[in-house]
Amino acid sequence: MRGNHTDIARGRVLTGRVTSAGTGKHRASGHRVFAYGAAAGLAVDLLLADPRRGHPVAAFGRAAARVESALWRDHRGWGVLHAAVCAGGAAGAAALAERAVRGRRTAAVALTAASVWAVVGGTTLGREARAIGGALAVGDLEVARERLPHLCGRDPQALDGPGMARAVVESVAENTSDAVVGALVWGAFGGVPGLVAFRAVNTLDAMVGHKSPRYRRFGWASARLDDVAGWPGARLTAALAAVAGGDPRGAVRAWRADAAKHPSPNAGPVEASFAGALGIRLGGTLSYGGRVEHRPVLNAGGREVDVADIERAVRLSRRVSVLTLAVCAGGRLAYGAIKRRRT
C-alpha cells in the first residue's frame, strides 16, 4: 500500500510539473507569436500599404456609424454606450479569433500579422504626405489642397504653401503615434484584442470625438477613451523621435518646455518632440471646420517649416516605427524569458 501511495503521490507531482511546464511553454509561444506576427504585419504594411477598398478599419467605421444612427442622443451616457458597444464588440471578436487559433503557432502568427497590418497605417501615412509634398514642391497648391483632407482635418482653402507643409508635418507626427506606435504598444500588452481595441477607440475618436454641436456630448466618451489609450504610445513616440531624430537634445528640450501647452495631452509631446528633432517650428494659427484656433508655438527657436521637411518627417516616422517594433517585440520576448526562468 505504501508503494501504491508513493506512486500516486509521485504521479501527482509529475503531473503538476508537466502541466506547469506546458503552461510555461504556451506562454513562451505567445510571446514569440506576437514578436513574429508584429514583424510580419509591419513588413506587409511596408510592401502593400492599405487597400483602396475593403479595408477592415473602414468596415468597422461603417458598422460604428450604423450603431451611432441607432443610439445617438445629445447625451454623454448614450455616447458611453456607443463607445462600449463598438470598441467592446471589436475587442470581443478579436479575443474569440485569438482563442480559436490558440495552440496553433502558425495560425496564431498569421492572425497577429493580419491584425497588425489591418491596424497600422504607416506606409499610407507616408504616401499621402509625400504626395502633398510633391505637389507643393512644383507649386501646385490646388492639388495639394485636394489631397490634404486625406491626411488631416484642416481647412485647406485657408492655408498657403508653408501652412500646408506645417499641417502635413504635424499630421505625420501625430499619426505616427496613432497609426503605428500606439497600436503596437497595446498589441504588446494585449495581443490581438489589444491591437483591435486600440484601433477601434482611435477610429471612434476620429468619427465622433469632435467639439461640434452634434458630438460635444455624445462624442465625449470616445474622445476621453482615446486620450487614455493613446497616452503610452504618445510618450514612446516622443522618446523614440528624440532618439532617432537629428537633434536629441532639442527634441527633449521642446518636449519638456512645450508639450503641456498643446490642447491635446497626446499630440503635444509627439509634435513637440518632432519639432525639436527636426529643428523646426510647429503650432500657431490653424482652422478646423471653419473654426480658427490659435495654438501655442512648439519649439519657438526652430525655423519655419518648408516643403523639404515633409520628407524628413516621413523618414523620422519610419525610423520611429521600426524602433517601436524592436521595443515592443523585444520587450515581449524579454518578459517571456524572465517568466520562463522564474517558472
Side-chain angles (χ1 to χ4, degrees), residues 231 234-243 248-261 265-277 298-299:
W231 195 94
R235 273 70 192 169
L236 180 59
T237 303
L240 294 181
V243 172
R249 290 184 179 179
V252 173
R253 182 169 57 249
W255 178 7
R256 295 180 61 183
D258 300 329
K261 301 175 184 176
N266 294 329
V270 173
E271 292 183 18
S273 184
F274 263 68
L298 307 177
N299 194 39

Side-chain angles (χ1 to χ4, degrees), residues 222-316:
S222 293
R224 299 291 77 76
L225 188 58
D226 183 67
D227 287 342
V228 173
W231 195 94
R235 273 70 192 169
L236 180 59
T237 303
L240 294 181
V243 172
D247 186 359
R249 290 184 179 179
V252 173
R253 182 169 57 249
W255 178 7
R256 295 180 61 183
D258 300 329
K261 301 175 184 176
H262 198 286
S264 169
N266 294 329
V270 173
E271 292 183 18
S273 184
F274 263 68
L278 297 173
I280 56 177
R281 189 169 62 248
L282 298 177
T285 302
L286 49 85
S287 177
Y288 280 104
R291 185 182 71 255
V292 176
E293 294 184 16
H294 301 282
R295 291 185 177 177
V297 173
L298 307 177
N299 194 39
R303 57 175 174 77
E304 185 178 356
V305 178
D306 60 35
V307 175
D309 292 317
I310 293 176
E311 179 63 26
R312 296 176 63 222
V314 171
R315 291 181 179 179
L316 178 56

Side-chain angles (χ1 to χ4, degrees), residues 60 64 82-84 86-87 199-209 222-223 225:
F60 170 80
H82 172 256
C86 295
R199 175 54 59 227
V201 168
N202 191 248
T203 303
L204 289 175
D205 178 62
M207 294 177 67
V208 304
S222 293
L225 188 58

Side-chain angles (χ1 to χ4, degrees), residues 52-282:
R52 298 293 183 181
R53 296 182 179 180
H55 196 284
V57 175
F60 170 80
R62 290 191 294 271
R66 288 194 291 269
V67 174
E68 177 191 340
S69 65
L71 296 180
W72 187 90
R73 305 286 189 281
D74 190 18
H75 191 277
R76 284 186 176 183
W78 286 94
V80 171
L81 179 60
H82 172 256
V85 169
C86 295
L96 291 175
E98 187 175 65
R99 183 174 182 178
V101 299
R102 186 173 297 170
R104 293 181 288 160
R105 180 179 294 185
T106 301
V109 170
L111 176 64
T112 303
S115 301
V116 169
W117 166 79
V119 303
V120 303
T123 300
T124 298
L125 171 65
R127 183 176 62 193
E128 292 295 336
R130 283 170 169 151
I132 299 170
L136 291 174
V138 298
D140 197 337
L141 299 186
E142 290 308 310
V143 170
R145 289 191 177 105
E146 288 177 5
R147 297 198 67 103
L148 188 64
H150 298 173
L151 192 65
C152 63
R154 309 286 176 87
D155 292 334
Q157 299 304 322
L159 297 172
D160 57 8
M164 282 189 279
R166 175 167 62 86
V168 170
V169 172
E170 290 174 354
S171 295
V172 167
E174 184 175 359
N175 283 294
T176 299
S177 176
D178 289 341
V180 182
V181 180
L184 290 177
V185 167
W186 282 102
F189 281 113
V192 172
L195 288 164
V196 172
F198 176 81
R199 175 54 59 227
V201 168
N202 191 248
T203 303
L204 289 175
D205 178 62
M207 294 177 67
V208 304
H210 313 300
K211 294 182 179 179
S212 64
R214 176 178 174 85
Y215 294 123
R216 186 176 299 275
R217 294 184 181 87
F218 184 80
W220 173 84
S222 293
R224 299 291 77 76
L225 188 58
D226 183 67
D227 287 342
V228 173
W231 195 94
R235 273 70 192 169
L236 180 59
T237 303
L240 294 181
V243 172
D247 186 359
R249 290 184 179 179
V252 173
R253 182 169 57 249
W255 178 7
R256 295 180 61 183
D258 300 329
K261 301 175 184 176
H262 198 286
S264 169
N266 294 329
V270 173
E271 292 183 18
S273 184
F274 263 68
L278 297 173
I280 56 177
R281 189 169 62 248
L282 298 177

